Amino acid sequence: MAQFNLPKNSQVTEGRTWPAPNGAKAIQTFRIYRWNPDDGKNPRIDTYHVDRDDCGPMVLDALLWIKNKVDPTLVFRRSCREGICGSCAMNIEGQNALACTMGIDECKTPDNALPFLTRKDKDGAVRIYPLPHMPVLKDLVPDLTNFYAQHAAIEPWLQTETPAPEKEWKQTPEDRARLDGLYECILCACCTTSCPSYWWNGDKFLGPAALLQAYRWLIDSRDENTGERLDGLHDPFRLYRCHTIMNCANTCPKNLNPAKAIAEIKKMMVERAV
């Protein structure tokens, strides 16, 4: 179940319903979270009607259609539209996903998706919210400042003691293969914002994305700072708040498994201790 951080002393209200396009034969309704920190008003849910015959197949296509043809004030992040940058991560139909890789036809409302569903939300409309449990900057744009700071905290770069080689640090194909399933992370924050442990301890627990990145450097055969990296993670909150609920693996748009990476870090901690 996803929950959302609302501005202080506010509640979500019913917003504007925009008229359906004239002559459209295939219409898809979208219910989108809107909030402007500058107008002093409550967050609201605006309703839009998209002409599917004039729009691409992905949720991001629909958002661009709305912004270009209906409401230019709608704010969201996006970049390359190829599912490799993570910019357009948002909560779509109760699940965290990339708008550029989520097809409109894939959107289905789970019965237990959100606790505040209204009858209007269950009439076939696609509901879109910002990533849960993050402060919202505006509309569908979350504040990822803490998320990026936690990623920086694991020092995601190669650390060595020996002098650098003239050309490059070499690695066997077998050692390189150990990084598969780790380096592909695009830092979209879908996994981290779906993690209940992060919801409760986001100021202390590093979260699935940062810990997956930490494991990627821990097992890199070229890195020579394993002990110090493990020392930095040996904390009751930074690592051990993970309870292997598996929300992170279930929601990852790249089909990665942060929970497995976290378990491997815990295993390395035990092996070092004995």
Side-chain angles (χ1 to χ4, degrees):
M1 180 183 294
Q3 298 181 14
F4 298 88
N5 287 350
L6 300 179
K8 189 176 181 180
N9 299 321
S10 68
Q11 60 182 357
V12 177
T13 61
E14 189 64 32
R16 177 176 177 179
T17 298
W18 298 77
N22 293 328
K25 297 181 180 179
I27 294 177
Q28 174 63 58
T29 302
F30 285 81
R31 302 262 293 154
I32 301 177
Y33 179 95
R34 305 296 309 279
W35 180 64
N36 185 348
D38 299 323
D39 63 15
K41 297 180 180 179
N42 277 326
R44 67 185 191 273
I45 305 297
D46 280 3
T47 303
Y48 302 90
H49 303 285
V50 174
D51 183 357
R52 290 293 305 274
D53 293 332
D54 188 40
C55 174
M58 300 300 176
V59 170
L60 182 58
D61 292 321
L63 291 173
L64 291 169
W65 190 94
I66 292 170
K67 187 173 182 68
N68 293 334
K69 299 194 175 187
V70 179
D71 181 6
T73 68
L74 178 62
V75 177
F76 53 91
R77 290 191 180 109
R78 59 100 176 181
S79 186
C80 67
R81 304 175 68 180
E82 295 292 341
I84 60 173
C85 72
S87 298
C88 62
M90 55 190 71
N91 188 275
I92 304 169
E93 288 299 296
Q95 62 179 316
N96 295 346
L98 300 180
C100 67
T101 60
M102 172 68 82
I104 298 173
D105 292 335
E106 298 176 55
C107 297
K108 297 180 181 179
T109 306
D111 292 336
N112 63 343
L114 294 170
F116 47 82
L117 282 180
T118 65
R119 181 175 299 175
K120 190 168 185 178
D121 289 314
K122 296 181 179 179
D123 63 359
V126 175
R127 299 166 300 107
I128 305 178
Y129 295 84
L131 290 174
H133 288 271
M134 290 283 187
V136 176
L137 296 177
K138 189 174 183 180
D139 292 349
L140 301 177
V141 179
D143 185 351
L144 298 177
T145 301
N146 186 57
F147 175 77
Y148 289 133
Q150 290 169 324
H151 176 244
I154 59 101
E155 300 183 350
W157 56 82
L158 192 66
Q159 299 180 11
T160 60
E161 299 282 341
T162 58
E166 293 184 5
K167 292 185 177 181
E168 61 187 9
W169 293 98
K170 294 184 179 180
Q171 194 171 41
T172 67
E174 292 76 18
D175 286 336
R176 166 59 185 80
R178 297 181 68 196
L179 304 182
D180 290 342
L182 301 171
Y183 77 90
E184 299 95 333
C185 175
I186 57 176
L187 295 175
C188 64
C190 283
C191 65
T192 296
T193 54
S194 71
C195 174
S197 292
Y198 191 82
W199 301 346
W200 305 324
N201 302 286
D203 58 332
K204 301 176 182 178
F205 177 48
L206 289 179
L211 289 172
L212 178 136
Q213 292 280 335
Y215 183 60
R216 175 256 177 274
W217 292 103
L218 281 168
I219 65 166
D220 193 316
S221 61
R222 301 164 296 179
D223 193 270
E224 300 174 347
N225 206 25
T226 301
E228 289 79 0
R229 291 185 186 277
L230 289 174
D231 288 342
L233 296 174
H234 191 65
D235 178 271
F237 282 91
R238 298 192 94 192
L239 170 66
Y240 291 102
R241 291 302 94 187
C242 173
H243 300 298
T244 323
I245 297 173
M246 301 302 292
N247 280 10
C248 55
N250 292 334
T251 197
C252 177
K254 306 298 288 185
N255 296 315
L256 308 182
N257 191 341
K260 180 180 178 181
I262 296 172
E264 292 294 336
I265 297 176
K266 293 178 180 178
K267 182 179 176 182
M268 293 178 72
M269 291 289 191
V270 173
E271 292 174 343
R272 184 174 70 155
V274 298

